[in-house]
């Protein structure tokens, strides 16, 4: 009887896959990342699209709670949150006590013969040693409070633990520079410091602290090609005694937008559809799928954030109904999303004029002015940034007049979900 596996352990969308981890060894990504441990003395940045396997790769080389101190950028509201988190993880402290003791020795005549001073010593607050409690004489104690930043840097240096900041782009840019400046001495001393970020923010570290230029080791995570994505079902389904035809595997890969996370979702949905919970006693052949698989995955991925963006902010005084060529009406927020759906851009950067052109194709009349479109894109970016996800699904770059689609799930929903709303 073949070894039994649970399908939920084989295909792990959003988790750390044990049986379907794909090393992409030809790209040498793991070895490049391991070089950070060999006194590289550079700030390492791992950049790639959302859900492209950046975190899984880094976790493979620097496992959480084993070989690295991990910080999730989405949980850091202000700079001190980061330093306090580091202190908590390494059991550090911010309060110190300085103690100076003096002892005296008297002669038989009662005259002071000598006075010996015990040098200053430093301890964590509340950790005074009992060895000194028996000394006779006078003791002076002075308390000192260190800033979370200085305490964390000093004690992280002593701990010598690799530091990984996931979703670094999600940290407020107002204090990104402060963090890099504080970590720079540790980086130069050889402490591995790794930042994980999405591509269009890959140079944030340099922009906020130009002194790090020349000390930056960038490891871009290329978009997965179809052959690499196919390794996931090819490794996983045989463990469940399931055979997936090559044509079906290629179709799944073509719809995954280069995301192993989406491919894991497709495979998980296939096992659910065929009621494969554990390794089958008889082989199952899968040589056909319908669009319903993609529609169902889309409903469970991008719909919530799409609805939030379509709803817009609470203020609705300027929501003019606009007539669509489909015969329905929609306000400007939904009009822009429908234009994006018509573009089906994938994880691409959209030029402003390109979007404006498609908006005109969606509407019969009452075409919004340029400033109206840019204002809504700014609001959408704010809404996306305030979502629970650590990475906004879209990001409007006002300076460059470009819209970045950063989440493959959102891009996938624009193609498969919008048409079935």
């Amino acid at each position: 009887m073949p070894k039994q596996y649970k399908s939920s352990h084989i295909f792990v969308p959003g988790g750390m896959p044990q049986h379907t981890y794909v090393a992409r060894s030809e790209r040498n990504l793991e070895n490049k990342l391991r070089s950070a441990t060999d006194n590289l003395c550079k700030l390492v940045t791992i950049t790639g699209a959302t859900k492209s396997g950046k975190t899984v790769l880094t976790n493979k080389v620097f496992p959480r709670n084993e070989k690295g101190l991990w910080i999730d950028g989405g949980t850091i509201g202000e700079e001190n949150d980061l330093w306090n988190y580091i202190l908590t993880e390494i059991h550090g402290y911010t309060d110190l006590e300085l103690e100076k003791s003096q002892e005296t020795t008297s002669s038989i005549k009662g005259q002071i013969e000598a006075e010996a001073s015990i040098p200053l010593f430093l301890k964590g607050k509340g950790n005074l040693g009992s060895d000194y409690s028996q000394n006779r004489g006078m003791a002076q104690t002075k308390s000192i409070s260190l800033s979370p930043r200085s305490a964390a840097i000093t004690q992280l240096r002593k701990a010598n633990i690799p530091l990984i900041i996931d979703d670094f782009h999600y940290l407020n840019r107002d204090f990104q520079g402060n963090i890099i400046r504080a970590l720079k001495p540790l980086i130069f001393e050889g402490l591995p410091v790794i930042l994980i970020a999405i591509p269009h923010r890959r140079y944030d570290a340099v922009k906020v602290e130009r002194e790090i230029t020349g000390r930056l080791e960038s490891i871009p995570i290329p978009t997965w090609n179809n052959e690499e994505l196919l390794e996931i079902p090819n490794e996983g389904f045989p463990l469940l005694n399931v055979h997936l035809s090559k044509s079906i595997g290629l179709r799944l890969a073509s719809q995954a937008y280069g995301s192993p996370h989406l491919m894991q979702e497709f495979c998980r949905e296939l096992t659910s559809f065929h009621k494969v919970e554990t390794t089958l006693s008889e082989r199952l052949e899968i040589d056909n799928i319908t669009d319903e698989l993609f529609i169902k995955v889309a409903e469970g991925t991008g719909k919530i954030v799409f609805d939030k963006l379509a709803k817009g902010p609470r203020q609705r005084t300027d929501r003019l109904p606009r007539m669509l060529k489909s015969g329905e009406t929609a306000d400007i927020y939904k009009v822009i999303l429908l234009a994006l759906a018509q573009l089906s851009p994938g994880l691409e950067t959209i030029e402003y004029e390109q979007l404006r052109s498609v908006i005109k194709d969606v509407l019969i009349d009452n075409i919004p002015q340029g400033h109206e479109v840019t204002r809504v894109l700014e609001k959408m970016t704010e809404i996306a940034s305030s979502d629970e996800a650590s990475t906004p699904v879209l990001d409007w770059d006002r300076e460059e007049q470009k819209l970045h689609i950063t989440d493959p799930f959102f891009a996938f929903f624009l193609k498969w979900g919008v048409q079935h709303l």
Side-chain angles (χ1 to χ4, degrees):
M1 184 176 180
K3 184 177 179 179
Q4 294 291 298
Y5 295 92
K6 288 186 177 181
S7 60
S8 59
H9 293 172
I10 301 297
F11 301 115
V12 191
M16 183 67 198
Q18 299 298 321
H19 304 289
T20 53
Y21 172 78
V22 179
R24 307 171 81 189
S25 54
E26 291 185 0
R27 299 186 185 272
N28 203 31
L29 298 173
E30 289 186 14
N31 288 335
K32 288 179 181 178
L33 184 52
R34 285 194 182 95
S35 69
T37 64
D38 190 25
N39 200 33
L40 184 63
C41 300
K42 289 186 178 182
L43 173 66
V44 178
T45 62
I46 308 293
T47 59
T50 303
K51 301 177 181 67
S52 63
K54 304 182 301 297
T55 301
V56 170
L57 168 67
T58 308
N59 189 68
K60 184 72 175 180
V61 179
F62 296 97
R64 288 177 182 262
N65 304 320
E66 294 181 22
K67 296 182 179 180
L69 195 167
W70 281 70
I71 296 175
D72 296 313
T75 65
I76 304 300
E78 55 186 47
E79 182 183 346
N80 277 346
D81 290 346
L82 181 138
W83 306 123
N84 285 324
Y85 185 88
I86 290 175
L87 289 170
T88 298
E89 290 298 300
I90 62 178
H91 307 292
Y93 51 83
T94 56
D95 294 325
L96 304 174
E97 284 188 354
L98 286 171
E99 182 179 283
K100 184 177 182 180
S101 298
Q102 292 182 330
E103 292 184 30
T104 60
T105 304
S106 300
S107 67
I108 297 175
K109 295 180 180 179
Q111 296 177 337
I112 298 176
E113 291 279 312
E115 183 179 277
S117 296
I118 298 178
L120 292 174
F121 65 90
L122 205 60
K123 277 185 171 288
K125 188 173 183 180
N127 292 330
L128 297 180
S130 59
D131 292 343
Y132 294 92
S133 63
Q134 302 301 319
N135 291 333
R136 295 181 180 181
M138 299 180 63
Q140 294 180 335
T141 302
K142 182 179 181 180
S143 296
I144 297 178
S145 292
L146 302 175
S147 70
R149 182 201 295 187
S150 61
I153 293 299
T154 299
Q155 293 161 61
L156 187 58
R157 175 184 283 112
K158 292 180 180 179
N160 197 32
I161 302 173
L163 176 65
I164 300 99
I165 306 178
D166 200 357
D167 289 331
F168 179 78
H169 55 272
Y170 202 60
L171 271 60
N172 193 310
R173 293 195 65 178
D174 291 341
F175 59 79
Q176 283 183 358
N178 295 339
I179 292 171
I180 294 174
R181 291 185 196 99
L183 292 173
K184 188 165 62 174
L186 301 185
I187 295 168
F188 291 173
E189 292 169 16
L191 181 77
V193 176
I194 299 160
L195 310 181
I196 305 175
I198 55 179
H200 75 280
R201 297 296 191 190
R202 64 185 178 276
Y203 296 121
D204 274 7
V206 178
K207 287 180 179 179
V208 297
E209 181 48 71
R210 295 191 180 278
E211 291 182 29
I212 208 71
T213 303
R215 293 283 187 175
L216 190 66
E217 181 76 8
S218 180
I219 304 177
I221 305 299
T223 299
W224 290 53
N225 59 39
N226 287 353
E227 289 73 20
E228 292 168 330
L229 289 170
L230 279 172
E231 290 189 47
I232 295 174
N234 289 347
E235 290 291 329
F237 279 117
L239 299 178
L240 299 170
N241 201 16
V242 174
H243 177 257
L244 187 73
S245 70
K246 185 176 181 179
S247 62
I248 297 303
L250 285 172
R251 188 179 182 204
L252 296 179
S254 69
Q255 299 300 320
Y257 290 113
S259 169
H261 192 151
L262 261 177
M263 180 59 99
Q264 294 272 358
E265 290 280 0
F266 296 158
C267 295
R268 173 71 72 87
E269 185 59 34
L270 266 179
T271 61
S272 176
F273 178 82
H274 290 281
K275 297 180 173 56
V276 180
E277 297 180 356
T278 59
T279 303
L280 300 175
S281 57
E282 296 184 8
R283 180 166 165 163
L284 172 65
E285 297 282 346
I286 299 179
D287 54 13
N288 182 50
I289 59 172
T290 66
D291 289 351
E292 291 302 316
L293 181 142
F294 301 120
I295 294 170
K296 187 170 182 180
V297 171
E299 290 175 351
T301 54
K303 187 176 187 304
I304 293 177
V305 69
F306 179 92
D307 289 343
K308 287 182 180 179
L309 295 175
K311 185 178 180 182
R314 293 183 179 180
Q315 185 179 0
R316 304 177 64 88
T317 56
D318 59 347
R319 303 293 184 84
L320 300 175
R322 301 171 192 267
M323 184 62 68
L324 305 174
K325 290 184 178 179
S326 64
E328 301 177 349
T329 60
D331 65 23
I332 189 171
Y333 282 83
K334 191 166 185 180
V335 166
I336 290 176
L337 289 173
L338 292 175
L340 286 174
Q342 185 165 312
L343 278 170
S344 296
L347 297 178
E348 297 177 5
T349 296
I350 304 167
E351 299 285 347
Y352 170 72
E353 291 301 330
Q354 181 185 12
L355 179 60
R356 277 292 308 276
S357 176
V358 180
I359 289 174
K360 294 176 183 178
D361 292 339
V362 170
L363 292 170
I364 292 178
D365 54 18
N366 200 8
I367 309 299
Q369 298 295 314
H371 71 276
E372 295 179 285
V373 175
T374 57
R375 177 181 58 80
V376 170
L377 290 173
E378 289 174 3
K379 287 294 183 182
M380 282 186 173
T381 298
E382 291 178 11
I383 295 170
S385 298
S386 64
D387 188 59
E388 293 179 359
S390 62
T391 304
V393 298
L394 54 78
D395 190 358
W396 167 246
D397 190 327
R398 184 176 181 179
E399 294 181 4
E400 297 189 10
Q401 295 284 287
K402 293 180 180 180
L403 180 65
H404 303 278
I405 305 297
T406 61
D407 192 311
F409 281 0
F410 183 65
F412 183 74
F413 183 81
L414 289 175
K415 179 174 182 179
W416 288 101
V418 173
Q419 58 184 307
H420 296 281
L421 288 176

